[in-house]
Amino acid sequence: MKLDARRGHGRAKISSLGTYVPPRLMTNSDLEKMVDTSDQWILERTGIRTRHILEKGQGLSDMATHAARQCLERRGLAATDVDAIIVATVTPDMMFPATAALVQDKLGAKGAWGFDLSAACSGFLYALQVGAKLVESGAQKNVLVIGGDVMSSILDYTDRATCILFGDGCGAVLVEPAEEGEQGILDFAHEVDGSGGVSLNMPAGGSLNPASHETVDKKMHYVHQDGQAVYKFAVRKMAEACETLLDRNGLKGSDISLLIPHQANKRIITSTAERLGMKDEQVVINIDRYGNTTAATIPLAMQTAVDEGRLKKGDLVLLASVGAGFTVGACLLRWEF
């Protein structure tokens, strides 16, 4: 192993974790009553059994505030200790102000600044890198990195190709300076391929196609996806991003304690693990419980690993994602709490 063993100064680490999913469950059986599909078909092709759905009248800021509070309570910090808030999402409460501003107010994080980041399913990893760099530079001490989406708000529940895939949820981590002897966040590999934008998007609601009767009638405010194109890209690029980090750090798949991937499709995850030479016990899969929660999948999977006793201090962890854009992200870190 060639892992950098520099002292903690100048490094960032994840020091706490908080998550939230709404209590309402939508099962595959529920979807059978809404669209032409079946529990068996969904389970075989995606690995999903249930997903959580946020009640109407609530927004991402509500879930994000829950997750952030839990994260801070576990660390023993007050909201006023937070320096910055980064929210990764494609389903903000509204176009502006940023959901980060709404969360700052609901938390009572006086003195904190923040912003939203849009990178779809890779959003959490992109926000994690930004937060880490703020800490590594010495500019900030405590950065809340939040990934969450209310995908049910942009789904067409008459489109069986997309509505079966997604759920709602949110996760938050605290990024702060590593202590002496800790490694924390070690390396990143990110990429954007904008030519894939046509394959997964929400066509209306922005400046190109502002809301109108026509955009609503044409269902342009919902997720539109070319499933085959997305699947092929994700299978290839998730593994490639992981290989880039492993090669750069002199590691093999067998050196990784845990792979925590974006939960979009069980087949994508297992294909990536096989290519990296990883065993089942090295991989976290919880898509059966939550579906694809977009920017929330990785922190939710972190929580699953913690709950199952599979993640402990000192573990070498690999995070990976592919999302609309197309966006690609991977992160190598040492779990430090």
Side-chain angles (χ1 to χ4, degrees), residues 76-286:
L77 293 181
T80 49
D81 293 321
V82 175
D83 298 314
I85 302 169
I86 306 172
V87 176
T89 188
V90 292
T91 54
D93 282 28
M94 57 196 79
M95 288 290 286
F96 64 90
T99 301
L102 304 179
V103 173
Q104 181 270 341
D105 181 52
K106 289 180 178 183
L107 272 181
K110 294 181 179 177
W113 66 290
F115 54 91
D116 291 357
L117 185 155
S118 177
C121 298
S122 300
F124 176 76
L125 290 188
Y126 282 28
L128 181 61
Q129 179 166 12
V130 174
K133 295 306 176 186
L134 286 173
V135 170
E136 288 172 6
S137 70
Q140 316 288 178
K141 184 180 179 185
N142 297 314
V143 179
L144 267 177
V145 173
I146 301 171
D149 275 293
V150 188
M151 293 304 293
S152 62
S153 68
I154 57 171
L155 291 177
D156 176 4
Y157 281 97
T158 67
D159 177 12
R160 67 176 182 175
T162 56
C163 73
I164 65 169
L165 300 174
F166 298 95
D168 303 337
C170 192
V173 296
L174 187 68
V175 179
E176 63 177 283
E179 300 291 333
E180 188 76 28
E182 293 180 332
Q183 292 182 314
I185 296 169
L186 292 159
D187 202 359
F188 290 91
H190 293 335
E191 181 182 341
V192 167
D193 180 356
S195 67
V198 295
S199 299
L200 180 52
N201 58 47
M202 188 179 80
S207 58
L208 179 62
N209 295 301
S212 66
H213 282 296
E214 182 182 15
T215 63
V216 172
D217 291 343
K218 290 183 176 180
K219 298 186 174 183
M220 294 171 67
H221 297 269
Y222 293 129
V223 172
H224 289 244
Q225 175 172 274
D226 178 346
Q228 281 300 311
V230 174
Y231 180 85
K232 288 177 182 176
F233 185 87
V235 164
R236 178 170 58 92
K237 295 303 289 190
M238 188 178 285
E240 283 183 7
C242 290
E243 287 172 337
T244 295
L245 285 187
L246 293 176
D247 291 346
R248 197 153 68 198
N249 290 277
L251 299 168
K252 303 189 294 292
S254 57
D255 295 318
I256 300 298
S257 304
L258 217 53
L259 170 66
I260 304 181
H262 168 57
Q263 309 284 311
N265 183 299
K266 187 176 180 180
R267 291 185 294 170
I268 295 172
I269 296 170
T270 55
S271 172
T272 300
E274 286 170 8
R275 182 163 158 181
L276 298 174
M278 290 184 170
K279 299 175 182 176
D280 291 348
E281 55 265 30
Q282 290 176 275
V283 187
V284 180
I285 301 178
N286 68 359

Side-chain angles (χ1 to χ4, degrees), residues 306-327:
V306 170
D307 292 343
E308 295 176 352
R310 301 172 65 190
L311 197 51
K312 58 188 182 299
K313 185 173 173 64
D315 280 351
L316 191 59
V317 180
L318 186 59
L319 315 175
S321 64
V322 173
F326 288 126
T327 57

